[in-house]
């Protein structure tokens, strides 16, 4: 038992060494989630399953009933080629929404996971950044698996598609930051209906299943400013090899959204957890 | 503030406010290295708020606080790296197993996996949880969860262990096992800082303590010291059949002891010699339903200092 | 149904009065959004591209599909987590069987309650679908009982199963690996004969396909006597088997 006590090193260098090793502290939260999901990896796998099923059902199934889709520049592509990048963006969003809202709520409100974390050298910002970082890992993994599925189905038309994975991570970042920030205002599980109230319309109306041109004009402009649309447009351009400087606008939108989200989340969590 | 290097924690006019509510109202205290220091007081006395400020999880509203010679406002992470915290509510990670709880907590401190593995084996042994190491946390009993929380708090070999109401909610058997473990830590030289509203716990574990009530410190000293100063060596407890019997007896109890304290359900007579006082009471023609002579305790100290019982 | 089971319906209705918002959202708003996005938006592309699906405009094809699928999703959701709440987390069902209620009354009562809610959701959905032009026939009213029958055929066996479970770990998997694929491939969004050969018998075995076909007969007003009887028989058969299994497993769980 003597090993449990600091008595053998009365000048206490232990703590200082520990702090030095800790390195980038938010990474510890990522490690925690890896430990959790090591046992429940199938939950992660199941999250990828959904966009793939949509690709098969709507993309290939309904796609067989649909003619080629105009994607601008006088170019037309088969429907499944049109839908696939949209589902890629959706998989990146799905990868984070549940973790940063529902799961985050349980951890901060019921399991008091973050109260334990904050009794260690970690700070509130480490929690917000770390949980977002985990979300990026998850979206990156989903996007990679999804992209490989697309390649296998012959739905990728350009080498630019390699950038689809970092783009998906950016989508994940945008939704992670805002997801955590929004969750700090949730009072009970009933409030998660509002999350669905945002996510479901985004999923259905971000030029995912049909092009912008089919929306009534006013609605089309509304869609253009929503976040998932930025992701879908970015992914679609990369996968089709339709690359231009305009894409930086989409990327900038997503980066700004994620940064603002993490910033708000950090401030809110400081109020809630450091009382 | 002239802080000598030995002090582990030093507080001057330490204050914590939540909105208009004053939880801690300008307290002064000093905790030395290697001692077991207690905050004794009823619920709502401000003990947990004080503890959370020492643990650098709750910002100080006003006053001065130095922990390990540093300022919690600027050096939170560096201070916390050298403390172990056992919060009042269990904050174990329910999504992880017993041993994973230790692992990830060690990682929060930036310890290497090898170091954690060695210490985890030892700590599981200490917490008597070696057999349960691969189980989830949820099905563990209350006592096991507390022991795991303490083991977790020791993973960074802290210089001080902060325990907030460590045995509240445990059954007597689990409580005694926990006391025994904490006593072992104390023997090994770990500084213990604990809050409690059990006077028995304070007497068993604390070298020195402060009595807190309504955000202020009402008294300070070793348990023995406090009893000697504020209570008497012995106390005669008288119970009556009814409140009217109790009221009727009071005039005849005047002068039988150094001090007579009527409570709702009983009367306490503070005295140096319990048997003599009991005899005097009988001589005065008072015949309560039950009479008990016991030694003076911290419970009595609290009553004398605050006019209330700890259970209030 | 016994009057005892009605007590259970009453209890659920009381709870619902406080939590109706979430239910209305999942049971009504979501399907309507799907109808708008896929029926109108995607439907426009389909109708432009090649014309008709199984002889129908796409919106007319997809409306009854979504109607039956919604009933399935509502019923499946009700048959999983709420059962865990009642048997383990809050143990409300244990409290119920401490009264004259029997386990089978609790089970049947919950099934009746879910049927009531699906009726409500299906009716609202049908009104919206008709307003958008997805329900050409007045026989479409019969699509409501078809959807409710379909939902109950999912509730009965799933609730029978969840009463045997002591943790909820399998529930999300059932929703994602069972219910979700059925939703997407049971003739809801495109005819099952488009599926690869090996998958067609699987789709035909799915109760949802039978529910979708029944609902589609109703909303389009095209009844083929033999197949209608066949679909009803399959759904009633699943419901009866599920109910029998449910009375057994609920008795074991609550009175065992």
């Amino acid at each position: 038992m003597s090993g449990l006590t600091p008595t053998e090193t009365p000048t206490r260098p232990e703590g200082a060494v520990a702090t030095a090793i800790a390195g980038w502290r938010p990474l510890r939260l990522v490690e925690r989630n890896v430990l959790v999901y090591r046992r429940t990896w199938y939950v992660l796998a199941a999250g990828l399953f959904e966009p793939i099923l949509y690709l098969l059902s709507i993309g290939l199934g309904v796609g067989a009933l649909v003619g080629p889709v105009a994607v601008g520049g006088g170019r037309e592509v088969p429907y499944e080629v049109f839908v696939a990048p949209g589902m890629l963006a959706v998989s990146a969003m799905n990868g984070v929404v549940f973790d940063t809202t529902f799961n985050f709520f349980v951890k901060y409100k019921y399991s008091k996971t973050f109260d334990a974390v904050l009794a260690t050298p970690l700070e509130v910002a480490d929690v917000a950044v770390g949980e977002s970082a985990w979300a990026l890992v998850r979206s990156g993994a989903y996007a990679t698996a999804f992209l490989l599925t697309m390649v296998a189905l012959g739905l990728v038309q350009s080498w630019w598609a390699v950038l689809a994975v970092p783009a998906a991570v950016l989508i994940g970042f945008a939704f992670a930051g805002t997801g955590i920030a929004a969750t700090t205002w949730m009072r009970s599980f009933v409030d998660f209906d509002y999350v669905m109230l945002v996510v479901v319309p985004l999923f259905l109306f971000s030029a995912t299943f049909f092009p912008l041109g089919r929306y009534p004009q006013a609605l089309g402009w509304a869609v253009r400013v929503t976040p998932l649309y930025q992701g879908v447009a970015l992914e679609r351009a990369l996968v089709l090899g339709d690359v231009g400087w305009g894409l930086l606008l989409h990327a900038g939108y997503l980066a700004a959204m994620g940064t603002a989200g993490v910033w708000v989340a950090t401030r809110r969590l400081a109020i809630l957890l450091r009382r | 503030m002239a802080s000598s290097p030995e002090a582990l924690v030093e507080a001057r006019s330490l204050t914590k406010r939540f909105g208009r509510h004053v939880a801690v109202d300008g307290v002064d205290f000093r905790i030395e290295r290697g001692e077991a220091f207690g905050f004794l007081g009823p619920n709502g006395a401000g003990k947990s708020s004080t503890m959370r400020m020492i643990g650098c999880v709750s910002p100080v509203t006003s006053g001065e606080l130095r922990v390990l010679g540093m300022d919690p406002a600027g050096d939170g992470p560096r201070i916390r790296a050298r403390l172990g915290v056992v919060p009042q509510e269990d904050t174990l990670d329910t999504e992880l197993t017993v041993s994973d709880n230790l692992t990830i907590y060690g990682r929060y401190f930036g310890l290497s996996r090898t170091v954690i593995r060695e210490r985890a084996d030892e700590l599981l042994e200490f917490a008597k949880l070696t057999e349960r190491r691969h189980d989830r946390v949820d099905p563990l009993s209350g006592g096991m969860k507390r022991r795991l929380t303490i083991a977790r708090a020791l993973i960074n070999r802290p210089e001080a262990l902060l325990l907030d109401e460590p045995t509240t909610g445990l059954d007597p058997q689990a409580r005694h096992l926990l006391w025994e473990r904490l006593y072992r830590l104390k023997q090994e030289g770990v500084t213990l800082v604990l809050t409690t509203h059990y006077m028995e716990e304070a007497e068993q574990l604390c070298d020195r303590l402060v009595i807190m009530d309504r955000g202020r410190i009402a008294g300070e000293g070793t348990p023995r010291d406090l009893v000697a100063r504020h209570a008497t060596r012995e106390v005669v407890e008288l119970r009556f059949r009814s409140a009217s019997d109790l009221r009727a007896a009071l005039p005849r109890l005047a002068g039988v002891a150094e001090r007579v304290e009527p409570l709702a359900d009983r009367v306490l007579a503070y005295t140096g010699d319990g048997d003599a006082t009991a005899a005097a009471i009988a001589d005065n023609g008072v015949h309560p339903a039950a009479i008990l002579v016991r030694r003076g305790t911290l419970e009595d100290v609290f009553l004398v200092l605050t006019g209330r019982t700890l259970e209030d | 149904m016994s009057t005892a089971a009605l007590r259970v319906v009453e209890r659920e209705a009381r709870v619902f009065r406080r939590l109706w918002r979430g239910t209305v959202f999942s049971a009504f708003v979501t399907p309507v959004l799907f109808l708008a996005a896929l029926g109108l938006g995607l439907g426009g592309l389909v109708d432009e591209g090649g014309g008709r699906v199984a002889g129908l405009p796409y919106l007319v094809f997809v409306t009854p599909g979504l109607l039956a699928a919604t009933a399935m999703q509502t019923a499946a959701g009700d048959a999983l987590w709420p059962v865990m709440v009642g048997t383990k987390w809050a143990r409300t069902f244990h409290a119920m069987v401490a009264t004259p209620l029997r386990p089978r009354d609790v089970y049947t009562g919950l099934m009746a309650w879910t049927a009531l809610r699906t009726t409500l959701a299906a009716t609202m959905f049908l009104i919206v679908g008709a307003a958008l032009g997805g329900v050409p026939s007045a026989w479409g009213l019969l699509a409501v009982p078809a959807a409710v029958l379909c939902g109950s055929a999912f509730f009965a066996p799933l609730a029978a199963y969840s009463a045997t479970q002591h943790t909820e770990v399998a529930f999300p998997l059932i929703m994602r690996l069972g219910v979700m694929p059925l939703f997407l491939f049971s003739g809801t969004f495109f005819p099952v004969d488009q599926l690869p050969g090996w998958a067609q018998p699987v789709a035909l075995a799915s109760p949802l396909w039978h529910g979708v076909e029944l609902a589609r007969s109703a909303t389009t007003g095209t009844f083929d006597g033999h197949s209608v009887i066949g679909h009803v028989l399959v759904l009633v058969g699943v419901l009866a088997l599920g109910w029998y299994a449910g009375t057994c497993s609920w008795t074991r769980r609550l009175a065992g």
Side-chain angles (χ1 to χ4, degrees):
Chain A
M1 264 310 298
S2 61
L4 291 184
T5 69
T7 43
E8 79 271 30
T9 51
T11 46
R12 63 104 243 144
E14 200 78 58
V17 173
T19 317
I21 299 170
W24 196 55
R25 293 184 308 210
L27 217 51
R28 305 289 158 254
L29 271 301
V30 177
E31 271 187 67
R32 177 197 170 269
N33 289 318
V34 171
L35 269 186
V36 171
Y37 282 109
R38 210 176 47 183
R39 275 156 212 286
T40 49
W41 56 269
Y42 48 86
V43 175
L44 287 188
L48 176 64
F49 205 59
E50 195 173 304
I52 291 182
L53 285 181
Y54 268 95
L55 176 63
L56 296 177
S57 168
I58 308 291
L60 295 177
V62 181
L65 309 165
V66 180
V69 182
V71 289
R75 203 168 147 209
E76 287 192 331
V77 296
Y79 183 69
E80 54 270 29
V81 173
F82 171 82
V83 165
M87 292 301 108
L88 175 63
V90 167
S91 79
M93 177 179 79
N94 275 5
V96 307
V97 166
F98 192 72
D99 259 345
T100 58
T101 58
F102 193 82
N103 281 355
F104 189 90
F105 187 72
V106 172
K107 282 189 274 190
Y108 116 81
K109 194 129 192 170
Y110 291 101
S111 319
K112 306 277 175 199
T113 311
F114 300 132
D115 289 278
V117 169
L118 293 177
T120 74
L122 300 190
E123 290 279 32
V124 173
D126 300 329
V127 170
V129 175
E131 289 288 285
S132 306
W134 162 250
L136 307 194
V137 173
R138 197 166 163 172
S139 334
Y142 279 14
T144 309
F146 196 89
L147 192 65
L148 292 175
T149 311
M150 283 167 62
V151 171
L153 293 171
L155 300 177
V156 175
Q157 305 203 329
S158 158
W159 276 102
W160 283 104
V162 174
L163 288 181
V165 172
V169 171
L170 203 53
I171 298 170
F173 177 57
F175 282 96
T178 23
I180 296 173
T183 304
T184 61
W185 273 283
M186 306 265 173
R187 294 151 303 171
S188 78
F189 288 109
V190 180
D191 285 341
F192 286 92
D193 297 331
Y194 295 118
V195 175
M196 295 316 285
L197 197 58
V198 173
V199 171
V200 171
L202 285 182
F203 166 62
L204 291 170
F205 297 101
S206 293
T208 26
F209 295 108
F210 46 95
L212 260 189
R214 299 217 66 89
Y215 292 86
Q217 192 136 36
L219 202 60
W221 281 105
V223 167
R224 262 181 257 260
V225 298
T226 59
L228 184 59
Y229 171 75
Q230 315 299 320
V232 171
L234 188 59
E235 295 291 12
R236 190 166 285 144
L238 290 170
V239 170
L240 297 176
D242 187 12
V243 176
W245 292 110
L247 295 189
L248 289 178
L249 218 59
H250 298 308
Y253 177 114
L254 294 169
M257 176 174 157
T259 310
V262 171
W263 185 77
V264 172
T266 304
R267 293 185 57 108
R268 286 282 302 163
L269 287 175
I271 295 170
L272 294 168
L273 294 172
R274 288 269 194 240
R275 277 173 304 119
Chain B
M1 172 155 77
S3 75
S4 62
E6 298 83 38
L8 189 95
V9 182
E10 198 168 2
R12 286 269 172 83
S13 314
L14 182 61
T15 303
K16 179 75 196 182
R17 268 193 295 272
F18 296 102
R20 299 182 60 188
H21 170 67
V22 184
V24 180
D25 192 3
V27 299
D28 299 76
F29 59 86
R30 187 183 155 94
I31 304 172
E32 307 295 340
R33 279 170 196 278
E35 72 175 340
F37 186 89
F39 294 89
L40 176 68
N43 291 328
K47 303 177 312 255
S48 292
S49 299
T50 307
M51 211 57 157
R52 284 169 49 82
M53 287 190 282
I54 297 173
C56 309
V57 292
S58 171
V60 171
T61 308
S62 69
E64 273 184 88
L65 179 66
R66 309 283 296 175
V67 183
L68 296 160
M70 292 180 274
D71 178 4
D75 288 318
R78 280 170 61 199
I79 297 171
R80 291 196 300 270
R82 293 159 59 187
L83 297 178
V85 174
V86 179
Q88 189 171 349
E89 266 180 84
D90 281 318
T91 57
L92 293 167
D93 201 322
T94 48
E95 292 182 87
L96 296 173
T97 62
V98 168
S99 73
D100 280 349
N101 258 281
L102 295 180
T103 306
I104 196 60
Y105 207 70
R107 294 296 292 155
Y108 293 155
F109 284 92
L111 301 173
S112 78
R113 285 166 201 288
T114 343
V115 167
I116 293 172
R117 211 170 303 128
E118 281 164 23
R119 291 187 190 175
D121 287 343
E122 230 173 297
L123 288 167
L124 286 170
E125 197 62 43
F126 168 76
K128 300 180 117 184
L129 286 168
T130 306
E131 271 102 77
R132 307 295 298 266
R133 62 186 312 159
H134 296 302
D135 290 4
R136 300 278 292 233
V137 167
D138 248 351
L140 298 183
S141 72
M144 290 175 177
K145 283 182 183 162
R146 288 274 79 184
R147 297 201 307 269
L148 178 56
T149 305
I150 292 175
R152 188 180 72 168
L154 292 169
I155 194 88
N156 59 325
R157 292 195 181 157
E159 289 162 63
L161 190 60
L162 312 183
L163 303 122
D164 195 0
E165 302 273 355
T167 64
T168 297
L170 298 188
D171 62 58
Q173 207 182 343
R175 175 174 301 159
H176 278 100
L177 177 57
L178 206 69
W179 283 347
E180 185 263 320
R181 298 282 116 166
L182 291 175
Y183 190 75
R184 260 171 75 175
L185 288 175
K186 187 178 146 182
Q187 294 298 95
E188 286 161 16
V190 178
T191 307
L192 300 182
V193 182
L194 64 119
T195 74
T196 182
H197 64 271
Y198 296 120
M199 64 100 193
E200 199 189 345
E201 187 160 279
E203 280 181 354
Q204 288 241 352
L205 292 172
C206 297
D207 301 322
R208 217 157 54 80
L209 54 92
V210 292
I211 291 182
M212 276 191 93
D213 186 44
R214 300 174 197 208
R216 294 169 183 272
I217 289 179
E220 182 189 342
T222 65
R224 182 193 292 253
D225 221 29
L226 281 164
V227 173
R229 228 180 319 140
H230 301 287
T232 47
R233 205 169 67 82
E234 294 194 322
V235 180
V236 181
E237 269 193 41
L238 310 167
R239 283 183 190 275
F240 292 88
R241 272 173 205 88
S242 67
S244 55
D245 279 8
L246 187 151
R247 276 195 304 276
L250 277 180
R252 275 177 289 163
L253 290 173
V256 297
E258 286 172 35
R259 191 187 152 100
V260 174
E261 189 80 46
L263 301 180
D265 58 336
R266 63 208 146 114
V267 177
L268 304 180
Y270 292 99
T271 171
D273 184 344
D275 290 333
T277 302
I281 289 169
D283 288 348
N284 283 3
V286 177
H287 299 288
I291 185 159
L292 165 76
V293 177
R294 58 169 176 81
R295 65 183 183 86
T297 65
L298 288 172
E299 179 94 48
D300 302 308
V301 174
F302 187 80
L303 183 70
V304 169
L305 289 176
T306 68
R308 302 189 299 138
T309 56
L310 273 172
E311 278 82 41
D312 279 353
Chain C
M1 186 169 54
S2 63
T3 52
L6 279 177
R7 299 284 84 79
V8 179
V9 174
E10 185 187 328
R11 186 251 170 205
E12 293 302 315
R14 282 175 185 283
V15 175
F16 181 70
R17 279 198 311 207
R18 292 194 295 120
L19 299 174
W20 60 272
R21 265 185 323 145
T23 316
V24 164
F25 180 72
S26 58
F28 179 67
V29 179
T30 307
V32 167
L33 288 174
F34 268 83
L35 188 63
L38 302 177
L40 295 178
L42 178 55
L45 277 183
V46 176
D47 297 343
E48 218 166 69
R52 320 197 125 217
V53 185
L56 303 167
Y58 191 68
L59 178 66
V60 174
F61 178 83
V62 90
T63 302
L66 279 170
L67 177 69
T70 301
M72 166 189 74
Q73 281 177 315
T74 308
D78 273 14
L80 298 172
W81 286 273
V83 173
M84 192 56 68
V85 171
T87 54
K88 185 178 169 196
W89 294 336
R91 297 178 66 85
T92 38
F93 298 159
H94 290 274
M96 288 181 184
V97 296
T99 72
L101 293 175
R102 295 166 302 172
R104 60 158 53 182
D105 297 326
V106 178
Y107 168 70
T108 314
L110 283 180
M111 183 148 72
W113 167 246
T114 300
L116 202 66
R117 275 188 37 206
T118 8
T119 308
L120 207 73
T123 310
M124 291 198 296
F125 182 86
L126 196 73
I127 292 169
V128 176
L132 293 177
V135 185
S137 163
W139 287 107
L141 280 177
L142 287 177
V144 173
V148 174
L149 178 60
C150 175
S152 303
F154 277 92
F155 183 92
L158 278 176
Y161 157 82
S162 41
T164 66
Q165 295 298 296
H166 291 268
T167 78
E168 80 286 12
V169 285
F171 292 178
L173 296 184
I174 291 177
M175 289 305 272
R176 288 187 139 157
L177 306 185
V179 172
M180 176 59 60
L182 289 183
F183 171 66
L184 288 169
F185 299 99
S186 293
T188 350
F189 297 107
F190 58 93
V192 287
D193 53 28
Q194 269 177 243
L195 287 169
W198 60 266
Q200 288 187 22
V202 182
L204 300 193
S206 134
L208 179 59
W209 179 70
H210 297 279
V212 168
E213 286 296 302
L214 262 188
R216 197 167 281 142
S217 299
T219 54
T220 56
T222 46
F223 295 98
D224 164 7
H226 280 91
S227 53
V228 166
I229 291 169
H231 296 315
V232 171
L233 280 180
V234 170
L235 291 173
V236 170
V238 173
L239 174 58
L241 281 176
W243 188 80
Y244 176 73
T247 51
C248 296
S249 72
W250 280 59
T251 304
R252 242 188 337 267
R253 181 69 183 263
L254 294 177

